Amino acid sequence: MTHEELPTEDARGLAGVPDGFGRLWTPHRMAYVTGERPSAEAGDGCPFCAAPAKGDAEGLVVARGEHCFVVMNLFPYNAGHVLVCPYRHVSFYVDLTDEETAEFTAMTKTAIRVLEATSAPHGFNLGMNQGEVAGAGVAAHLHQHVIPRWGGDMNFLPIIAQTKALPILLEDARDRLAQAWPDPA
């Protein structure tokens, strides 16, 4: 099935001014959108404060640095989707110290290299959504998404069956990435 054949909705008949966009509905994401929201406060209510306080396997932590850590995304867009986070509970990239910024960048680069070595993706999506209005699910704790992508990694399952096919369990992906992560210098 090509992207031209994907089931979309013609928006021309909907109320309002036509915008020329088709609609690709993804109702499976509602479990995330309507789920319990993390606390804006540091501590147990924040998943990025809680994860590093657990053991690596339990917290799905891939790697730990002095200022930052890498953790599996509980709601992955693709297999191997990781998040790079500072330990410190800050909201915005500009709030990082120079040391945090350097390690944040280095860990992002290492995550890409480890994902390349372990799963040979064809490309990556990298991104930070800062603030709720920008789409941040956990706006109070900065995190960068590193999402491996493969040609043809999107298919009909999310649309037709409300299912995302992920070929590896989060725990197994974490183990694979953690084993391939280089030892700190």
Side-chain angles (χ1 to χ4, degrees):
M1 179 177 276
T2 67
H3 72 279
E4 291 89 10
E5 298 171 323
L6 287 173
T8 60
E9 181 178 25
D10 185 348
R12 290 178 287 199
L14 299 176
V17 178
D19 59 11
F21 289 102
R23 301 294 186 261
L24 183 61
W25 302 106
T26 56
H28 62 283
R29 296 284 296 153
M30 285 307 293
Y32 171 72
V33 171
T34 60
E36 184 177 322
R37 305 313 296 162
S39 167
E41 302 302 317
D44 291 339
C46 172
F48 304 132
C49 288
K54 300 175 183 175
D56 289 354
E58 180 188 2
L60 296 174
V61 175
V62 173
R64 296 172 187 263
E66 183 180 346
H67 305 287
C68 301
F69 66 100
V70 178
V71 65
M72 301 302 298
N73 189 327
L74 287 177
F75 300 96
Y77 292 113
N78 251 346
H81 181 171
V82 297
L83 304 168
V84 179
C85 309
Y87 290 113
R88 198 163 58 92
H89 190 83
V90 296
S91 299
F92 294 101
Y93 183 74
V94 296
D95 294 335
L96 294 176
T97 65
D98 290 344
E99 293 80 14
E100 289 169 328
T101 301
E103 189 171 83
F104 191 86
T105 300
M107 291 189 101
T108 299
K109 290 170 75 172
T110 301
I112 292 169
R113 289 182 182 121
V114 169
L115 284 161
E116 287 175 332
T118 59
S119 53
H122 301 138
F124 291 90
N125 289 120
L126 301 177
M128 291 181 267
N129 300 325
Q130 297 190 27
E132 285 185 37
V133 70
V138 182
H141 199 129
L142 179 68
H143 56 283
Q144 170 143 286
H145 296 260
V146 180
I147 307 166
R149 300 298 307 269
W150 295 266
D153 64 9
M154 297 302 296
N155 58 38
F156 67 92
L157 284 174
I159 295 115
I160 304 300
Q162 297 180 4
T163 302
K164 177 71 177 167
L166 296 168
I168 187 170
L169 296 173
L170 282 175
E171 295 85 357
D172 295 341
R174 191 218 69 87
D175 291 346
R176 179 186 290 178
L177 295 173
Q179 288 172 10
W181 200 272
D183 290 330

mmCIF file of all heavy atoms in Angstrom, residues 37-50 87-91 132 138-142:
data_model
loop_
_atom_site.group_PDB
_atom_site.id
_atom_site.type_symbol
_atom_site.label_atom_id
_atom_site.label_comp_id
_atom_site.label_asym_id
_atom_site.label_seq_id
_atom_site.Cartn_x
_atom_site.Cartn_y
_atom_site.Cartn_z
ATOM 1 N N ARG A 37 -2.198 12.465 33.740
ATOM 2 C CA ARG A 37 -1.127 13.382 33.373
ATOM 3 C C ARG A 37 -0.075 13.425 34.478
ATOM 4 O O ARG A 37 -0.412 13.454 35.669
ATOM 5 C CB ARG A 37 -1.664 14.794 33.140
ATOM 6 C CG ARG A 37 -2.777 14.907 32.120
ATOM 7 C CD ARG A 37 -2.562 14.175 30.824
ATOM 8 N NE ARG A 37 -1.446 14.672 30.080
ATOM 9 C CZ ARG A 37 -0.859 13.998 29.105
ATOM 10 N NH1 ARG A 37 -1.275 12.803 28.777
ATOM 11 N NH2 ARG A 37 0.142 14.503 28.457
ATOM 12 N N PRO A 38 1.186 13.468 34.107
ATOM 13 C CA PRO A 38 2.247 13.585 35.102
ATOM 14 C C PRO A 38 2.166 14.927 35.828
ATOM 15 O O PRO A 38 1.666 15.908 35.293
ATOM 16 C CB PRO A 38 3.532 13.519 34.270
ATOM 17 C CG PRO A 38 3.125 12.954 32.962
ATOM 18 C CD PRO A 38 1.686 13.329 32.764
ATOM 19 N N SER A 39 2.688 14.946 37.018
ATOM 20 C CA SER A 39 2.721 16.159 37.816
ATOM 21 C C SER A 39 3.721 17.150 37.221
ATOM 22 O O SER A 39 4.726 16.764 36.638
ATOM 23 C CB SER A 39 3.148 15.805 39.238
ATOM 24 O OG SER A 39 3.479 16.949 39.957
ATOM 25 N N ALA A 40 3.435 18.427 37.399
ATOM 26 C CA ALA A 40 4.384 19.464 36.973
ATOM 27 C C ALA A 40 5.509 19.619 37.988
ATOM 28 O O ALA A 40 6.518 20.249 37.708
ATOM 29 C CB ALA A 40 3.656 20.794 36.801
ATOM 30 N N GLU A 41 5.321 19.019 39.155
ATOM 31 C CA GLU A 41 6.316 19.123 40.214
ATOM 32 C C GLU A 41 7.374 18.031 40.077
ATOM 33 O O GLU A 41 7.099 16.947 39.577
ATOM 34 C CB GLU A 41 5.640 18.993 41.579
ATOM 35 C CG GLU A 41 4.554 20.024 41.821
ATOM 36 C CD GLU A 41 5.051 21.456 41.723
ATOM 37 O OE1 GLU A 41 6.142 21.735 42.264
ATOM 38 O OE2 GLU A 41 4.371 22.284 41.106
ATOM 39 N N ALA A 42 8.561 18.318 40.530
ATOM 40 C CA ALA A 42 9.616 17.308 40.564
ATOM 41 C C ALA A 42 9.224 16.226 41.563
ATOM 42 O O ALA A 42 8.475 16.473 42.496
ATOM 43 C CB ALA A 42 10.944 17.953 40.956
ATOM 44 N N GLY A 43 9.713 15.025 41.342
ATOM 45 C CA GLY A 43 9.455 13.938 42.280
ATOM 46 C C GLY A 43 8.725 12.782 41.639
ATOM 47 O O GLY A 43 8.748 12.607 40.417
ATOM 48 N N ASP A 44 8.026 12.002 42.469
ATOM 49 C CA ASP A 44 7.387 10.769 42.014
ATOM 50 C C ASP A 44 6.325 10.985 40.945
ATOM 51 O O ASP A 44 6.092 10.114 40.123
ATOM 52 C CB ASP A 44 6.754 10.032 43.198
ATOM 53 C CG ASP A 44 7.801 9.477 44.145
ATOM 54 O OD1 ASP A 44 8.964 9.306 43.712
ATOM 55 O OD2 ASP A 44 7.463 9.223 45.310
ATOM 56 N N GLY A 45 5.653 12.138 40.943
ATOM 57 C CA GLY A 45 4.619 12.391 39.941
ATOM 58 C C GLY A 45 5.171 12.653 38.561
ATOM 59 O O GLY A 45 4.450 12.586 37.575
ATOM 60 N N CYS A 46 6.450 12.938 38.474
ATOM 61 C CA CYS A 46 7.095 13.191 37.187
ATOM 62 C C CYS A 46 7.809 11.909 36.747
ATOM 63 O O CYS A 46 8.707 11.430 37.441
ATOM 64 C CB CYS A 46 8.104 14.328 37.305
ATOM 65 S SG CYS A 46 9.120 14.543 35.817
ATOM 66 N N PRO A 47 7.437 11.343 35.590
ATOM 67 C CA PRO A 47 8.057 10.081 35.176
ATOM 68 C C PRO A 47 9.554 10.207 34.922
ATOM 69 O O PRO A 47 10.291 9.224 35.074
ATOM 70 C CB PRO A 47 7.310 9.717 33.894
ATOM 71 C CG PRO A 47 6.756 11.007 33.390
ATOM 72 C CD PRO A 47 6.470 11.834 34.608
ATOM 73 N N PHE A 48 10.030 11.397 34.575
ATOM 74 C CA PHE A 48 11.452 11.578 34.297
ATOM 75 C C PHE A 48 12.265 11.837 35.567
ATOM 76 O O PHE A 48 13.488 11.744 35.545
ATOM 77 C CB PHE A 48 11.673 12.675 33.264
ATOM 78 C CG PHE A 48 10.927 12.409 31.983
ATOM 79 C CD1 PHE A 48 10.162 13.388 31.391
ATOM 80 C CD2 PHE A 48 10.960 11.159 31.387
ATOM 81 C CE1 PHE A 48 9.456 13.132 30.220
ATOM 82 C CE2 PHE A 48 10.258 10.890 30.222
ATOM 83 C CZ PHE A 48 9.507 11.885 29.636
ATOM 84 N N CYS A 49 11.602 12.143 36.655
ATOM 85 C CA CYS A 49 12.269 12.174 37.959
ATOM 86 C C CYS A 49 12.229 10.777 38.578
ATOM 87 O O CYS A 49 13.166 10.373 39.262
ATOM 88 C CB CYS A 49 11.588 13.172 38.896
ATOM 89 S SG CYS A 49 11.858 14.912 38.474
ATOM 90 N N ALA A 50 11.143 10.046 38.341
ATOM 91 C CA ALA A 50 10.970 8.725 38.945
ATOM 92 C C ALA A 50 11.848 7.662 38.292
ATOM 93 O O ALA A 50 12.393 6.798 38.987
ATOM 94 C CB ALA A 50 9.505 8.313 38.877
ATOM 95 N N TYR A 87 18.714 14.953 34.577
ATOM 96 C CA TYR A 87 18.208 14.536 35.888
ATOM 97 C C TYR A 87 17.448 15.685 36.541
ATOM 98 O O TYR A 87 16.433 15.475 37.190
ATOM 99 C CB TYR A 87 19.360 14.132 36.819
ATOM 100 C CG TYR A 87 20.033 12.839 36.424
ATOM 101 C CD1 TYR A 87 21.343 12.843 35.970
ATOM 102 C CD2 TYR A 87 19.370 11.621 36.530
ATOM 103 C CE1 TYR A 87 21.976 11.662 35.623
ATOM 104 C CE2 TYR A 87 19.992 10.438 36.179
ATOM 105 C CZ TYR A 87 21.295 10.463 35.728
ATOM 106 O OH TYR A 87 21.912 9.296 35.386
ATOM 107 N N ARG A 88 17.969 16.891 36.344
ATOM 108 C CA ARG A 88 17.365 18.071 36.965
ATOM 109 C C ARG A 88 16.017 18.352 36.324
ATOM 110 O O ARG A 88 15.857 18.258 35.103
ATOM 111 C CB ARG A 88 18.314 19.279 36.799
ATOM 112 C CG ARG A 88 18.027 20.414 37.740
ATOM 113 C CD ARG A 88 19.216 21.353 37.816
ATOM 114 N NE ARG A 88 19.611 21.902 36.536
ATOM 115 C CZ ARG A 88 19.178 23.050 36.035
ATOM 116 N NH1 ARG A 88 18.318 23.783 36.708
ATOM 117 N NH2 ARG A 88 19.619 23.478 34.865
ATOM 118 N N HIS A 89 15.048 18.689 37.134
ATOM 119 C CA HIS A 89 13.675 18.947 36.696
ATOM 120 C C HIS A 89 13.574 20.366 36.148
ATOM 121 O O HIS A 89 13.309 21.317 36.883
ATOM 122 C CB HIS A 89 12.728 18.738 37.887
ATOM 123 C CG HIS A 89 11.282 18.728 37.536
ATOM 124 N ND1 HIS A 89 10.634 17.613 37.073
ATOM 125 C CD2 HIS A 89 10.350 19.703 37.603
ATOM 126 C CE1 HIS A 89 9.361 17.894 36.872
ATOM 127 N NE2 HIS A 89 9.163 19.161 37.182
ATOM 128 N N VAL A 90 13.855 20.517 34.842
ATOM 129 C CA VAL A 90 13.750 21.815 34.173
ATOM 130 C C VAL A 90 12.859 21.651 32.947
ATOM 131 O O VAL A 90 12.773 20.563 32.373
ATOM 132 C CB VAL A 90 15.124 22.382 33.741
ATOM 133 C CG1 VAL A 90 15.997 22.657 34.956
ATOM 134 C CG2 VAL A 90 15.828 21.479 32.772
ATOM 135 N N SER A 91 12.211 22.731 32.563
ATOM 136 C CA SER A 91 11.247 22.670 31.468
ATOM 137 C C SER A 91 11.834 22.974 30.101
ATOM 138 O O SER A 91 11.376 22.426 29.102
ATOM 139 C CB SER A 91 10.107 23.669 31.721
ATOM 140 O OG SER A 91 9.439 23.366 32.911
ATOM 141 N N GLU A 132 3.217 22.868 26.935
ATOM 142 C CA GLU A 132 2.042 22.094 26.542
ATOM 143 C C GLU A 132 1.507 22.527 25.185
ATOM 144 O O GLU A 132 1.097 21.699 24.385
ATOM 145 C CB GLU A 132 0.950 22.213 27.610
ATOM 146 C CG GLU A 132 1.246 21.390 28.848
ATOM 147 C CD GLU A 132 0.111 21.419 29.848
ATOM 148 O OE1 GLU A 132 -1.055 21.423 29.406
ATOM 149 O OE2 GLU A 132 0.393 21.442 31.048
ATOM 150 N N VAL A 138 4.878 15.814 28.742
ATOM 151 C CA VAL A 138 5.426 16.093 30.074
ATOM 152 C C VAL A 138 6.179 17.411 29.931
ATOM 153 O O VAL A 138 7.382 17.435 29.700
ATOM 154 C CB VAL A 138 6.358 14.960 30.561
ATOM 155 C CG1 VAL A 138 6.874 15.260 31.972
ATOM 156 C CG2 VAL A 138 5.652 13.614 30.530
ATOM 157 N N ALA A 139 5.431 18.495 30.033
ATOM 158 C CA ALA A 139 6.002 19.817 29.760
ATOM 159 C C ALA A 139 6.973 20.284 30.831
ATOM 160 O O ALA A 139 7.866 21.081 30.549
ATOM 161 C CB ALA A 139 4.877 20.842 29.595
ATOM 162 N N ALA A 140 6.838 19.778 32.048
ATOM 163 C CA ALA A 140 7.648 20.286 33.148
ATOM 164 C C ALA A 140 9.062 19.732 33.183
ATOM 165 O O ALA A 140 9.918 20.284 33.859
ATOM 166 C CB ALA A 140 6.953 19.977 34.478
ATOM 167 N N HIS A 141 9.329 18.640 32.464
ATOM 168 C CA HIS A 141 10.660 18.036 32.501
ATOM 169 C C HIS A 141 11.155 17.858 31.068
ATOM 170 O O HIS A 141 10.603 17.058 30.312
ATOM 171 C CB HIS A 141 10.616 16.684 33.220
ATOM 172 C CG HIS A 141 11.948 16.212 33.689
ATOM 173 N ND1 HIS A 141 12.160 15.799 34.985
ATOM 174 C CD2 HIS A 141 13.147 16.087 33.060
ATOM 175 C CE1 HIS A 141 13.423 15.423 35.117
ATOM 176 N NE2 HIS A 141 14.040 15.599 33.954
ATOM 177 N N LEU A 142 12.173 18.606 30.721
ATOM 178 C CA LEU A 142 12.738 18.577 29.381
ATOM 179 C C LEU A 142 13.120 17.155 28.971
ATOM 180 O O LEU A 142 13.651 16.391 29.779
ATOM 181 C CB LEU A 142 13.991 19.463 29.342
ATOM 182 C CG LEU A 142 14.734 19.529 28.010
ATOM 183 C CD1 LEU A 142 13.905 20.256 26.967
ATOM 184 C CD2 LEU A 142 16.081 20.201 28.196
#
